[in-house]
Amino acid sequence: MSHYFTKYSAWLIYILILSLYGISFYALISFSNNTTFWSISESINIIKYSLFQAGISALLSTFLGLLLARAFFYLEFKGKSFLYKIISFVWSLPAVVVIFAIVGVWGNSGWIAQFFAFWGIKWKFSIYGLQGILFAHLFLNIPFVTKYVLEGLNLTSPNQHKLATQLGLTRWHYFKIVEFPPLKGILPYVFSYVFLLCFTSFPIVLMLGGSPKYSTLEVAIYQAVTFEFDFAKAVILIGIQLVIGLFLQFMMDIASRYAFHSKSTTTQIQHWIPTLSSGSKRFLQLILFLQIFMIFIPLISIFWEAIRVSNFIERLLNPMLWHAFYYSVIISLIASLSVISIAYLITLETRKLAFQHKKIAQSILSGVTTYPLILPVFLLAVGLFVFFIDIELTKLQLLFILGVCNGLVLLPYIYRLIFSPMYQAFIRFDKLAHSLNLTGFNRWWIVEKPYLIRPLLNAFALAMSASLGSFSIIAFFGTPDFSTLPYLLYQQLGSYHTEDAAVTALILMLCALLPFLCINKNKSEQ
């Protein structure tokens, strides 16, 4: 009975996900008309700029992340573990909070401008445009690159460091012979991943772009729907993004195979680190100081700008803030529960197919989990927006739609997170479960629960954290009476209610911090 349940439920989910994307695409096609302001030259300019800013962002993030990882690897200092956790937390911050922090430090009225004004110097730097987009992308992506590069450096054998020191290798030769071999697969992977993230970046480019000159495909789609009401143009742009996205995803899949084919399951503990020359040590200390300064100051500014506002308690108790908080939490709970349920039911079948070496069926079924990566999120968002445009939805229905859509966007990450432990649990305990005649829930509770409970809790915390800061879908469905914390912060920044925005940013950052602490607690217990 349980065999048929897992089989049919997994394939039913496959059909439902396909149907949902099909409905979205059909709604877009049927709603669009022949009149459009789309032009090839405009699209080419948008594509050129999208590729350019993504390339620059990915290149700088990879380079600076590599330097920061080397600083963490070679330098020993008090508070190193705590500092690394703070940097890791930055990567989980919602993009709208990052935008608020960047503007608060580097903007025309930010901390840097105030510091220069104190000394009688006029701050002429503008945070809006390419430079602002790069700042925000670097702030978010350097911690991600640092994490993976540091893991790669930890795979280097201490004997290689000792031998290189005995041979007198320094600087470039040391990096080329000792450090680069474990990184030669990881660096292309992190570059391609950051490139894909920056290419599809939406809130950062929308709010820091400053003009249509700095528009990316997703921002152009949003403007075509919300400002121009040109749905035919939106369909064309979504099609262009789909083609480019397929190519980028294909390249990232190739890079990921080389990145992790030799990676061990546990990080090797370094028992011997070479002594650095005074020049190399000072250089890494400078890198560490400058990058920590660039990451810490915006984080501190969020706290400081929030607690120093006038009438802090009154703004904190603002009903709009807590309505948005309530909607954000409900949407995140729906998203987390739905994506974990979907990923779990699919994995129950795919792990069995993998064990039985039915590769074609497994590839087809597991392939549905990659659709949210390949298909633009705006295909789902805009399609459902058009599909329900003439229907007056209740708030409960909106909460459910947004929750499920946010959950689907996270499906690729949650599926990858739980597949490996679920497959290992199946291999280890399948014979035991059959010998005890355990099936269904009894099998899970008695045999697999101790092995899977932590990965599932980590997946839930990750889904909660990511969906709390999600902005792309609520951007189409949000109203003054129905908003989440990211959408409320976007409205407050757009209307220059900076003091209200400071309090909202603080609450949103604290909401992202709680799931992050939960994940790190589980890791430390393991």
Side-chain angles (χ1 to χ4, degrees):
M1 181 68 179
S2 61
H3 166 73
Y4 289 107
F5 172 76
T6 57
K7 180 179 180 180
Y8 290 122
S9 60
W11 287 104
L12 178 62
I13 288 171
Y14 180 90
I15 294 169
L16 289 175
I17 292 175
L18 281 181
S19 300
L20 186 61
Y21 277 101
I23 290 170
S24 300
F25 185 71
Y26 174 77
L28 268 175
I29 294 295
S30 60
F31 200 82
S32 59
N33 51 51
N34 295 327
T35 305
T36 179
F37 296 100
W38 174 80
S39 66
I40 295 178
S41 59
E42 180 188 3
S43 297
I44 290 174
N45 289 333
I46 292 172
I47 293 169
K48 281 182 180 178
Y49 175 73
S50 298
L51 295 172
F52 175 73
Q53 67 86 13
I56 295 293
S57 298
L59 189 64
L60 290 175
S61 296
T62 303
F63 177 69
L64 295 175
L66 171 64
L67 293 179
L68 185 58
R70 294 186 76 249
F72 270 102
F73 182 76
Y74 287 108
L75 298 178
E76 291 295 334
F77 53 90
K78 290 182 179 180
K80 180 177 176 180
S81 176
F82 173 75
L83 196 61
Y84 181 72
K85 288 180 180 178
I86 294 296
I87 291 175
S88 300
F89 167 63
V90 168
W91 190 55
S92 66
L93 280 176
V96 284
V97 175
V98 171
I99 293 165
F100 176 83
I102 295 294
V103 172
V105 173
W106 300 96
N108 294 330
S109 302
W111 285 16
I112 304 296
Q114 293 175 26
F115 174 79
F116 276 89
F118 177 79
W119 296 101
I121 303 172
K122 188 176 181 181
W123 178 251
K124 297 182 180 181
F125 178 78
S126 175
I127 196 62
Y128 298 99
L130 178 61
Q131 58 273 16
I133 295 169
L134 290 178
F135 263 88
H137 283 163
L138 291 176
F139 183 85
L140 273 175
N141 295 316
I142 285 175
F144 169 78
V145 176
T146 301
K147 174 183 180 296
Y148 277 91
V149 172
L150 189 58
E151 288 180 2
L153 291 173
N154 282 328
L155 294 174
T156 309
S157 170
N159 293 328
Q160 290 180 279
H161 289 286
K162 291 179 181 179
L163 181 60
T165 303
Q166 292 170 358
L167 295 174
L169 297 179
T170 57
R171 296 182 182 178
W172 167 248
H173 296 288
Y174 195 97
F175 173 78
K176 180 182 177 182
I177 295 173
V178 179
E179 298 176 5
F180 184 69
L183 298 180
K184 64 182 178 181
I186 292 175
L187 290 176
Y189 170 76
V190 295
F191 176 86
S192 59
Y193 188 84
V194 172
F195 186 94
L196 184 61
L197 287 179
C198 296
F199 180 79
T200 58
S201 179
F202 173 58
I204 288 175
V205 179
L206 177 67
M207 300 175 70
L208 292 179
S211 73
K213 176 184 176 182
Y214 301 105
S215 180
T216 58
L217 281 169
E218 293 213 350
V219 173
I221 294 166
Y222 176 75
Q223 291 172 338
V225 173
T226 56
F227 297 112
E228 302 170 12
F229 299 101
D230 190 344
F231 290 93
K233 180 180 178 181
V235 170
I236 296 170
L237 293 174
I238 287 174
I240 294 171
Q241 187 182 2
L242 175 59
V243 172
I244 298 175
L246 280 169
F247 175 76
L248 293 177
Q249 185 61 42
F250 174 72
M251 297 301 294
M252 196 179 80
D253 287 343
I254 294 175
S256 65
R257 291 173 191 171
Y258 288 100
F260 305 114
H261 74 282
S262 62
K263 187 175 176 180
S264 60
T265 56
T266 58
T267 302
Q268 183 177 348
I269 300 174
Q270 292 293 322
H271 299 288
W272 190 86
I273 298 294
T275 303
L276 298 174
S277 64
S278 58
S280 298
K281 188 174 182 179
R282 280 195 291 268
F283 174 73
L284 289 180
Q285 287 173 338
L286 179 63
I287 291 295
L288 183 66
F289 173 77
L290 290 176
Q291 295 207 43
I292 294 304
F293 174 81
M294 289 186 64
I295 291 173
F296 260 69
I297 294 301
L299 287 179
I300 296 170
S301 75
I302 296 173
F303 281 100
W304 178 250
E305 293 297 330
I307 62 175
R308 68 185 286 268
V309 299
S310 59
N311 303 318
F312 173 74
I313 299 299
E314 181 182 334
R315 296 180 192 279
L316 184 63
L317 298 177
N318 183 359
M320 287 183 64
L321 174 64
W322 293 104
H323 284 152
F325 173 81
Y326 169 75
Y327 291 139
S328 294
V329 171
I330 295 298
I331 290 171
S332 296
L333 283 172
I334 295 172
S336 303
L337 293 174
S338 62
V339 70
I340 290 175
S341 300
I342 291 169
Y344 192 87
L345 289 172
I346 291 175
T347 307
L348 284 176
E349 183 63 17
T350 54
R351 70 176 184 176
K352 192 181 299 181
L353 293 171
F355 183 74
Q356 296 169 350
H357 301 289
K358 296 180 179 179
K359 294 183 179 180
I360 296 177
Q362 184 209 351
S363 298
I364 294 172
L365 183 56
S366 62
V368 77
T369 64
T370 65
Y371 290 171
L373 276 178
I374 297 171
L375 300 171
V377 64
F378 274 18
L379 171 60
L380 190 62
V382 180
L384 292 178
F385 172 75
V386 171
F387 185 77
F388 292 112
I389 198 167
D390 295 324
I391 302 173
E392 189 173 348
L393 298 172
T394 65
K395 287 183 178 179
L396 184 62
Q397 291 170 328
L398 276 173
L399 288 170
F400 180 77
I401 291 170
L402 290 173
V404 172
C405 289
N406 282 341
L408 279 178
V409 171
L410 298 173
L411 183 57
Y413 312 102
I414 301 301
Y415 175 79
R416 290 181 182 181
L417 191 63
I418 69 173
F419 177 81
S420 181
M422 285 185 66
Y423 182 68
Q424 294 300 324
F426 183 82
I427 293 173
R428 291 178 61 179
F429 303 122
D430 188 52
K431 290 183 180 179
L432 175 63
H434 280 298
S435 66
L436 298 174
N437 199 26
L438 295 173
T439 58
F441 181 76
N442 289 332
R443 171 184 172 131
W444 186 87
W445 185 261
I446 297 172
V447 177
E448 296 188 1
K449 179 177 75 81
Y451 194 80
L452 296 179
I453 192 67
R454 282 202 176 108
L456 289 173
L457 285 175
N458 285 342
F460 181 82
L462 176 64
M464 281 290 293
S465 179
S467 55
L468 275 169
S470 178
F471 179 75
S472 296
I473 297 176
I474 188 65
F476 291 93
F477 291 91
T479 65
D481 297 326
F482 181 81
S483 65
T484 59
L485 286 173
Y487 189 76
L488 177 63
L489 180 56
Y490 168 71
Q491 289 181 311
Q492 290 169 339
L493 288 172
S495 56
Y496 300 101
H497 294 166
T498 53
E499 292 194 334
D500 291 326
V503 178
T504 304
L506 177 62
I507 297 298
L508 187 51
M509 185 173 74
L510 293 176
C511 288
L513 178 63
L514 291 177
F516 175 81
L517 293 176
C518 177
I519 293 172
N520 276 273
K521 182 175 181 294
N522 285 332
K523 285 182 179 178
S524 63
E525 287 175 354
Q526 286 177 314

